[in-house]
Amino acid sequence: MYLATTGRPDAPPAPSGVRRRVPGTVLALGTVSLVTDVSSEMVTAVLPLYLVLGLGLSPLQFGLLDGLSTGATALVRLLGGATADRGGRHKQVGGLGYALSACSRLGLLLAGGATGWIATAIAADRLGKGVRTAPRDALITLHSPPEDLGRAFGTHRAMDTTGALLGPLAAFALLWATADAYDAVFAVSFSVGAFGVLLWVLLVPGRTRGDEKAPVVPAGPRARGGFLGGLFGGSLGGLRSRSYRRIVICAGILGAATIGDAFLYLLLQRRLAFDATWFPFLPLGAAAVYLLLAVPAGRLADRTGRRAPLLYGHGALLLAYGLLLTPLPDPVVLLGVLLLLGVFYAATDGVLMALAGPFLTEGRQASGLAVVQTAQALARLGAAVAFGAVWTASGPETALVAALLALTAALCCAARLLPTTPSAPSERSD
């Protein structure tokens, strides 16, 4: 059990053999993420089914819709991160993102079968996620000792994934009880998301607890180009660090070879040919593995360095791609793909943020993390569109082979470029 503490990130390290407590702010952020993920995963679990099987979208159309809505967050991630750093407004900016995502559920509820309105609602949800992610992760960084960032992010991601487990279960129960009424799923999802916003307001502090002098970026202009120049000049300032540049490049390279979960679940459904009613259960297997491994993976990354777990996690995704191409029995493929997908997220999601954290300068945590997340989001936009296009033109097997080759090449590049975690503050800027 991880207990809360209000200790400062710059507090002296605990004596050897003493188990440090997870900061209370990390647990509060995890609680908000848990509730919000119940809301978002209720929709995510049924959306591919609703769009492809219900509304009849082709894989290319779904790839464009999913990829463009994800790519739309790119500028917003930078803007949200830079705005959060200016004046230390991490709580305000993050709260705006959570509120926008909650309201997007209403958009889905009112859209009916209109693809344009559905795309707008999905984009609003992704924009909300883009706005909140960097400020939220910056708060984790600000409230956690640098040597424990892997465990802090792992704890948060484990709580977040608990919501990812509960969301599809709630969606399935609603679809079963209402005879496949998707509107009921969207309505309940909105209510749960609104509760998550309330928890954010009540539980999450705005600055590093116990440190009223936490460094913040002055509101005045910091670069040429007026307001936007001041914002993005700070966001991109961290690129002067060679190690940080390498992390950003690797996030983009690996993201460009990562196809979305929805495609993997559609491929599983297509291969196993099971009843569509069971589709919302597919994310549960991967989420359960992620939940079990997120904290251990973070602790391992803190002990051994965060570079290796990140590479091995993408190696697990590579194996999942390959498993879908094998003639193994369907149950083996199903269990194997879900297991490997869970390992992939446990070893990469929080670990990437923990790897980048020590290379960020004070007062630029949110904007620095936003650059990494933006590189990854833009790359995944291209991956989703390309995969959907190849699937539509040449079939799913050809698309999977192309994705497998691309991820193999990306792993080779990342293995050469990724830096190790600095062991001293002087190593943060090179």
Side-chain angles (χ1 to χ4, degrees):
M1 177 69 179
Y2 291 93
L3 302 176
T5 181
T6 58
R8 294 172 51 180
D10 58 352
S16 177
V18 176
R19 192 175 188 177
R20 287 184 290 268
R21 298 174 177 179
V22 174
T25 299
V26 174
L27 297 181
L29 291 166
T31 301
V32 174
S33 292
L34 188 158
V35 173
T36 302
D37 238 36
V38 171
S39 171
S40 63
E41 291 301 323
M42 286 179 67
V43 174
T44 301
V46 302
L47 202 57
L49 184 68
Y50 179 55
L51 296 177
V52 176
L53 301 183
L55 299 183
L57 269 65
S58 70
L60 175 57
Q61 289 173 315
F62 178 75
L64 284 169
L65 186 61
D66 183 66
L68 290 174
S69 60
T70 300
T73 67
L75 178 62
V76 177
R77 285 175 188 266
L78 293 175
L79 185 61
T83 303
D85 282 336
R86 289 172 63 88
R89 293 189 290 265
H90 301 92
K91 179 172 182 175
Q92 294 88 333
V93 176
L96 176 63
Y98 279 103
L100 183 58
S101 289
C103 290
S104 72
R105 313 292 184 241
L106 283 180
L108 288 171
L109 184 62
L110 299 174
T115 305
W117 287 108
I118 291 173
T120 301
I122 295 174
D125 175 52
R126 301 295 172 86
L127 289 172
K129 184 174 182 179
V131 167
R132 72 178 184 255
T133 301
R136 181 202 66 200
D137 286 351
L139 285 172
I140 296 175
T141 302
L142 287 167
H143 287 81
S144 305
E147 67 274 14
D148 284 342
L149 277 177
R151 186 179 64 158
F153 276 103
T155 300
H156 172 268
R157 296 315 196 248
M159 297 178 72
D160 181 89
T161 306
T162 301
L165 275 170
L166 297 176
L169 287 174
F172 175 81
L174 281 170
L175 289 178
W176 177 80
T178 61
D180 295 339
Y182 290 97
D183 286 353
V185 175
F186 301 150
V188 174
S189 174
F190 165 72
S191 300
V192 176
F195 180 59
V197 175
L198 178 63
L199 290 178
W200 175 274
V201 172
L202 296 178
L203 298 181
V204 177
R207 292 189 179 185
T208 307
R209 187 174 301 200
D211 187 4
E212 296 302 322
K213 296 182 180 180
V216 295
V217 179
R222 297 182 59 86
R224 293 181 181 178
F227 176 71
L228 289 179
L231 284 177
F232 295 118
S235 298
L236 302 177
L239 292 176
R240 288 190 295 268
S241 165
R242 182 178 60 185
S243 296
Y244 177 70
R245 286 198 305 270
R246 289 182 174 184
I247 294 173
V248 173
I249 291 170
C250 289
I253 292 174
L254 293 170
T258 304
I259 64 175
D261 298 354
F263 274 123
L264 291 178
Y265 298 144
L266 286 171
L267 287 166
L268 283 173
Q269 196 275 337
R270 178 181 178 275
R271 172 165 176 165
L272 276 64
F274 54 77
D275 188 274
T277 306
W278 298 98
F279 190 87
F281 277 107
L282 285 179
L284 295 182
V289 176
Y290 186 8
L291 174 61
L292 291 174
L293 297 182
V295 175
R299 291 172 63 87
L300 179 66
D302 287 336
R303 290 197 189 102
T304 64
R306 294 152 192 165
R307 179 179 180 275
L310 187 67
L311 294 173
Y312 289 139
H314 282 87
L317 183 63
L318 183 69
L319 291 177
Y321 291 176
L323 196 57
L324 282 166
L325 294 168
T326 65
L328 293 173
D330 288 346
V332 174
V333 174
L334 174 63
L335 294 176
V337 168
L338 296 181
L339 172 65
L340 291 168
L341 191 59
V343 171
F344 162 67
Y345 279 113
T348 61
D349 189 10
V351 172
L352 176 61
M353 297 298 100
L355 176 63
F359 295 103
L360 302 175
T361 57
E362 292 294 342
R364 296 297 186 191
Q365 286 88 353
S367 54
L369 293 176
V371 172
V372 178
Q373 294 160 1
T374 298
Q376 189 177 63
L378 288 175
R380 288 184 176 179
L381 159 64
V385 175
F387 188 83
V390 176
W391 182 346
T392 301
S394 304
E397 289 78 14
T398 302
L400 262 177
V401 170
L404 189 148
L405 293 174
L407 185 54
T408 301
L411 271 171
C412 293
C413 292
R416 295 181 61 87
L417 290 176
L418 276 176
T420 57
T421 304
S423 58
S426 61
E427 298 177 50
R428 297 186 184 185
S429 297
D430 50 4

